[in-house]
Each structure stands twice: as structure tokens, then as C-alpha cells.
Amino acid sequence: MITNTEIENRGNQYPNHITDFKQEKDKLFFTTQNGVVLQITILRNSTIRFRYATEYAFEPDFSYAISENVSLGYDKLSVEEEVSKYIVSTTKVKIHIDKSNLNVRILDVEDVVLSEDELGFHWEENYDYGGNIVKMSKVCHTGESYYGMGDKASHTNLKGKRVNNWVTDSYAYGKDQEPLYKAIPFYVGLKENQAYGIFFDNSFSTYFDFANEKRNVTSFWADGGEMNYYFFYGPKMGKVVEAYTDLTGVPELPPLWALGFHQSKWSYYPEKKVKDIASGFRKRKIPCDAIYLDIDYMEGFRCFTWDKQHFPDPKKMIDELEEDGFKTITMIDPGIKIDRDYWVYQEAMENGYFCRRADGPHFKGKVWPGDCKFPDFTDPKVRAWWGDLYKEMIADLGVHGVWNDMNEPAIMEVPTKTANLDVRHDYDGHPCSHRKAHNVYGMQMVRATYNGVKKFMFPKRPFVLTRAAYSGTQRYCATWTGDNVATWEHLWIANVQMQRMCMSGYSFVGSDIGGFAEQPNGELFARWIQLAIFHPFCRVHSSGDHGDQEPWSFGDEITDIFRKFVELRYQLLPYLYTMFYKYIKEGLPMLQSLVFYDQDDTQTHFRTDEFLFGEQILVCPVQEPNAQGRRMYFPKGKWYNYWTEEVVEGGKEKWVSAEIHLIPMFIKAGAIIPKYPVQQYVGEKELTELQLDVYYTEGIENSIVYEDQQDGYDYKKGRYSLRKFRLRGKENELIIQQFKDGNFITPYDKFKLTFHGLPFTIGTVEVDNEKVNLKDIKLNGNNSIEVGKDFTELHIVGK
């Protein structure tokens, strides 16, 4: 007889020898004598899924992470059987499956090992909860590096680290603290300059050890569920991240105003305070597109209500703010106050929408309103109901966007900071406990919010923001990195978190500028905005406990610096919007770590500070006080100093001056950077021209500019403008070709081209093979000309 103690102490179990193989189209099944089944699915030539079952049986195949629009299809699939192994081949990879123990080795077509099992799949029976703790260990090769994993507050290269994915309200977290607000179990491995990726799609608490416990082993495991992971082969990191992003999805284009500057605080109230903040921006000519209302706009912190003392006429206030160019964003949390007279609570009770404990009672937790109950957002009926709750807020009052906070879910006054593990969830018809649903709870809340806001914002685009996230949440909303701190260390953390999130498929991301907790000094605040204008989501947010954090809170010098950089953000909006277009079309991260930009240069493998904003702007923030500049590394190519136009040759480290009013910022030689005029808010000015900053290079460089109506969905019907520029520079001439696509007619008729680094004096200019009078194109010195926007070829020749 097997006693309970024997089960508890059984320890790790392993597959033994393969006894059966069968193939069903793109799925291959390898079964061992002791009941382990390995299912290999070929999604694409270089995207392979590995799924393991014990006791001969798989769980239902369901995931919240996978996009409905994932690309499928491959060119070749063959299986060969040898004495000791099976060999599965596509046009990109070979997979060896060891017959004796089910271990897997993945190689490229040149037989170079990309990834190989160490112990491989093994499991341990979970005596406390049932099911298995599922484990995978792989060989860590010499020189191998690891990147990605979402919002980890650690060095971009995770070699030597151990991390945990269990979304957690981590107020004032520190460097290397685990876990944080996101659970994105995806990493990119780089071995001998060949990149691959692994996505462990398991929503239980997961753990990754990147050669921390054993220097030659990388492992990952979960507290329950299946060993279910996807393997992506590059060999370039870009291909890996694109494939993962295709699998888990991308958002729709946001309205352009969502890429402007936003101001927030816990909390702006009453109405007069909100209007004072708005007028403060306009009076000081600091651009701003959105103002946020934190929980104090509500009546007793009840979601979907308004405190009529502080906000007697919210619609009138929202309309007046909009007249002045401000969008209004409101916070909604998941906790619903237990109050029999509160209509949201009544509806949820009547329809059975709240989460229950294992034996039937409702789950209760304390949050801002006091004792609350929590909707089960993993139930489709609950999501539909929740989305419809936004009707009054969006359709009737005119709120422009919604911010979901505390959705880990965060619970106060309990050591776990979250719901009890025995809480039950529908999980879209796959009932489970909170152990499995915890990491996706916030994701499903914001999914419901997104669907509701989208319905009631139509025909305009929705804007939604979340704190908690699992892989795939990027399909629904922007995110930020939670309750950070006003310290120089957190400025460093913000930089690495943005790079890491972008490499993890989630580009619409930002930090609380200046820090949420504690109070920055003016220098730190200035250095933070200098970095944050290069983050896709750009918002100041702070705790009211620690003083004011508006741009004018630190004296005139800092206010002027803040204004200068926010104005630069608004000038670069067409460049940023084009970055977003490439992100959703190609899966290209909006920010690129240096290793992503040039993985062949080993100098980039451990750099944390420098990054690419898009593909043509190199940025390196100053991250310590009293600095007059810093050393930074320049990747391959030639780079123009944005402020001085000095040209730096890549492949080396160099000192760059950057006093308090500057950030090291460089433009790739050959780039054509589009700019709008400075506006106080998106749409303030009619665009009469598009400025193109042209950075000369000898050779060829391609640039693109994407534009549309900046809101609405006509772009999906072809009403967009996509301009592709090819610059070809020679010793005494410059040729710019333009290729146009799309049916959108831009409001401007001309380009103003400003030249940087021309090695010759302009002598003649031809537009579409016709010589033009230099006065007609307003040649200004040797620096700029104006030409019609529809040219096909611009040919500039020196004297």
C-alpha cells in the first residue's frame, strides 16, 4: 500500500523510454512506457510548441495568451526514426527526441545546437493541491545570455538571476525585487550570436532560473498546470520577438493624443483643483493631452460613481476640459464595495458575478472602499456586464479613457497581498482555483474594460491602461510599471524595464515620471522627463502624500527644461506614431536594447543604459546626480549628435557632454526624421507642412512615415498615408526617392527638408527630373528647402 507520506516524499519523476509515436498532420505524439506524452506542434518553420502530459492525458487546450490572429503555416515537416532518436525537421530547425528519456535537442539546419535539455521535463506530485509541479531544465552554454521576462527590475541580461511570475502589488519595490506587477514568462536566449526564444504559457506561479543555482543549467517550472512552451528560432533577436508578438498579439493603433504627455496624481480633486492644473499647463505653454482622476473622484471609492460635492457636474467639467484640449481619464478598480444600496453591488449579487471561496461563500477583501467583493472576470458573462457598466461614463459623460489599477488583485491587510488561493474562477468554462487564475485576473478585467470602452467610444479609438498583466494583455491596453520611487536607482530601473517590456512584446509602456513614492528633487525630475519622452507611454503620476509633482513644482529652470523636452516629444509624434505602426504591423519593439539592435557585437550583450528609440534615434540617459555628461557606447554605424551635429563612428565608447538641460541623443546617419510643429495638444494646429530632418550619409538608408486621421478606424479601410523614403548619398550629390501607399490625403501640401551634415554646397535641385529655381523652393543658406509632398525623386547636386 502507498501511504500519503510516500506520495508526499516521492520527489521528482522522469519520463522513461518511448514506446509509441504517431502523427496527426502538424502534431506529433511521443508516448513513454510510464505514461508521459510529448506533443510537438509545428506552427511555423521556426515556431514549435512542446506540450507534456503525464498519465497519458492532456488538460483541455486553452490559453488567454494566444492571439486569434496568429500566423500559421510551414513549408516542410518530416520525421525520421533512428536507433536512438527521432529527428523532426522543418526548413529552419531540427528536433532530436531521445528515445530513452524523451529529452529534446533543437538544432539549426547546419546542425548547430540552439537549445538542449539537461534533465528535460520532469515533475513532482503536488500533495497539498493535487496535480503536478511541472519542471524543465536546459543546458546553459558558455557565454549564453538571457533577455526579456517583462517588467523585471534587474539588469537587462538576466544571466545569473532567478525570477518569479506572480503578479503582485509591489509598492516602492527595489532593484532585483521579485515578484512584480506583470507575469510575462517569455525570454530570448542568445547563444554564439544565434537567438532563440521560449514562452512558457502557464498561468500558475512560474519560476525561471537563468544559471543562478547551477552555472550550466537554465530551468523553469510552475506550481501547477502543464509543461507547455513555445520555441522560436531567429537567428536574429528581431525574428524571435516578432514571432512571439505574432503569437500573443498586438494592440490596435491608439488615438494620437494617447502618445502625448499626460498628467496624473493621487489625487486631483475637487473640480477647481483639476481646472487649476489644466490652466497651469496652458498658462505656462507646457503641452499636455490628458488629465487623470484617481479614486477620490468617486463617492466613497465606489466604482462608476461620482462624488457630487467635489464634482457636481462631471459632464460639464469634462466638456470644458476638452474645449481646452484635455482628455479626461478615470480610474476603475476591481473591488466593489459591499453596500446593499449600491447599484453595481446589487447587480453583481443578483446575477452571481462575484468570486466565491471553495465551499461557496463569496470572497471578501479589504481595499480602498473597505470590505469588497470581486467580480470573476474570467467568466464571459461577467466581462460583458462589466464592459456595459462604462456606458454612462463614456457615452453620456464623455470620459475619454479608463485606467484599471489594483487589478492583481491587490488586497490590503493580508500577508499575501492578494486573494485566497481557494477562490474559484470560471476561466472561460475551465473551472479552477485562484492558483491558476491569479496571473490572468487583471488581464481579463482590462479585456472587459477595453471591450466596453471601445463600444462606447466608437467611432473613436479607445484608450485603456492597466497595472497587472499576463502575456497577451498588450492586445487590449497600455501599461505602466507600478508604484516606483523618486530615486536615481529607480530612474535606472525605469530605463531597463521599458527596454525589457518592449522586448517582451509589450511596447505601449511607461513609468511614473519622477517616481510615485517619495519626492524627487528638481534635477532628478528633469533627468526623468528627458528619458521618459522616449517611452511610448508618457505620464507623470505621484502619491499626494509626498508633495507636488507638476512640471512647475521645482522652479523656473526645471520648468523650462521640462517644457523643452515635452515640446520635443510633440515634435517627434509622427516618428513615434510610425514606430507604433511598425510595432503592430511587424511586431518590432518600439524601443530596442543595444543587444537587440546589434547582437553580433558582444559589447552590447551587457549594456543597460543605451537604447534605440525606434530604429534611428539613439538615447542614453544621465542617471546620477551632478553629472556634466557620461560615457556611452555607440553601436555600429555613424551617429549625429542631435544638439551639436558632431558625427560619431560606432563600435566604441565615448564621453558625451550633457549638462542638466541636455540628454545624450544621436540620430543615425542617413535617417529622415519627420516632425510636427510644437502644439499644446494633439489637434491644436492645422498641419501646413511636415518637417523632414535629413541626416546625410554616404550610402543608402531607408525611412518611413505613417499618418492617418489620428483617431477612428478609417485607416483599416485604406485611409492612411505611408511614405517610404530612400536616401542615397554620394560625395557631391544627394538623392531622395519617395514611394507612397494608402488613400489618406494629409492636410499639408509640402515638406520642409532641413539638411544636416551635407558635405557640399547646394548648387542645383531637380524634382522629378525637372530643375527648379532655388528661390522657388526657398533655399535657406545650405540648410533647408520646401518642396511639394508628392514628389517621386529629389536630386540635389553640389556646386
Side-chain angles (χ1 to χ4, degrees), residues 262-264 268 290-294 329 403 463 465 537 539:
H262 298 189
Q263 181 72 30
S264 181
Y268 288 137
I291 295 228
Y292 285 60
L293 302 181
D294 209 310
I329 314 296
W403 164 28
F463 172 73
L465 182 66
F537 176 58
R539 180 187 72 155

Side-chain angles (χ1 to χ4, degrees), residues 90-344:
T90 74
T91 58
K92 297 289 186 180
V93 295
K94 298 177 183 178
I95 305 162
H96 293 182
I97 300 99
D98 191 316
K99 286 184 174 181
S100 67
N101 57 11
L102 209 60
N103 271 13
V104 168
R105 173 183 282 194
I106 305 172
L107 311 91
D108 68 11
V109 292
E110 304 296 328
D111 289 327
V112 175
V113 174
L114 304 170
S115 172
E116 58 183 322
D117 289 355
E118 185 241 5
L119 294 176
F121 170 63
H122 49 294
W123 73 98
E124 186 179 345
E125 291 188 25
N126 192 324
Y127 177 70
D128 293 324
Y129 295 103
N132 297 322
I133 299 167
V134 291
K135 308 177 183 182
M136 173 62 65
S137 65
K138 293 184 174 290
V139 174
C140 174
H141 299 90
T142 302
E144 195 161 1
S145 295
Y146 304 96
Y147 307 89
M149 295 298 296
D151 65 341
K152 305 305 180 188
S154 300
H155 195 291
T156 46
N157 190 334
L158 290 166
K159 183 75 168 281
K161 304 286 188 185
R162 176 181 284 196
V163 298
N164 174 212
N165 292 310
W166 180 254
V167 296
T168 301
D169 178 8
S170 302
Y171 175 80
Y173 57 92
K175 184 181 178 184
D176 293 326
Q177 183 173 324
E178 291 290 323
L180 297 180
Y181 299 93
K182 316 286 188 290
I184 302 181
F186 163 71
Y187 71 85
V188 179
L190 186 59
K191 173 187 173 286
E192 296 172 356
N193 291 342
Q194 291 214 90
Y196 68 88
I198 285 180
F199 169 42
F200 181 22
D201 188 10
N202 182 311
S203 64
F204 283 81
S205 184
T206 57
Y207 307 82
F208 288 74
D209 184 304
F210 297 104
N212 172 275
E213 184 178 339
K214 297 180 181 178
R215 63 192 300 268
N216 64 336
V217 177
T218 286
S219 55
F220 48 94
W221 63 99
D223 285 346
E226 284 187 343
M227 176 51 60
N228 169 37
Y229 72 90
Y230 295 80
F231 179 90
F232 313 94
Y233 173 53
K236 293 297 182 184
M237 293 178 83
K239 292 296 183 185
V240 173
V241 175
E242 287 168 23
Y244 166 77
T245 307
D246 177 75
L247 182 73
T248 56
V250 292
E252 296 178 317
L253 275 173
L256 186 61
W257 64 261
L259 300 179
F261 173 73
H262 298 189
Q263 181 72 30
S264 181
K265 183 180 182 176
W266 177 31
S267 279
Y268 288 137
Y269 71 97
E271 178 181 313
K272 183 180 183 305
K273 180 66 174 178
V274 177
K275 289 187 171 180
D276 287 346
I277 294 295
S279 64
F281 277 95
R282 297 295 179 250
K283 181 173 70 177
R284 295 173 177 86
K285 299 286 186 191
I286 300 172
C288 182
D289 261 283
I291 295 228
Y292 285 60
L293 302 181
D294 209 310
I295 52 177
D296 295 281
Y297 79 89
M298 305 175 191
E299 180 189 356
F301 307 133
R302 294 167 179 83
C303 292
F304 304 101
T305 67
W306 290 79
D307 184 325
K308 289 306 175 82
Q309 283 192 319
H310 291 148
F311 298 94
D313 191 345
K315 177 171 174 51
K316 182 170 180 284
M317 180 193 72
I318 292 165
D319 288 346
E320 289 172 353
L321 286 170
E322 187 167 20
E323 288 172 12
D324 207 13
F326 289 97
K327 306 294 190 290
T328 302
I329 314 296
T330 51
M331 174 186 277
I332 293 289
D333 290 344
I336 300 301
K337 182 175 177 62
I338 298 174
D339 177 356
R340 293 180 62 189
D341 297 325
Y342 170 31
W343 65 278
V344 178

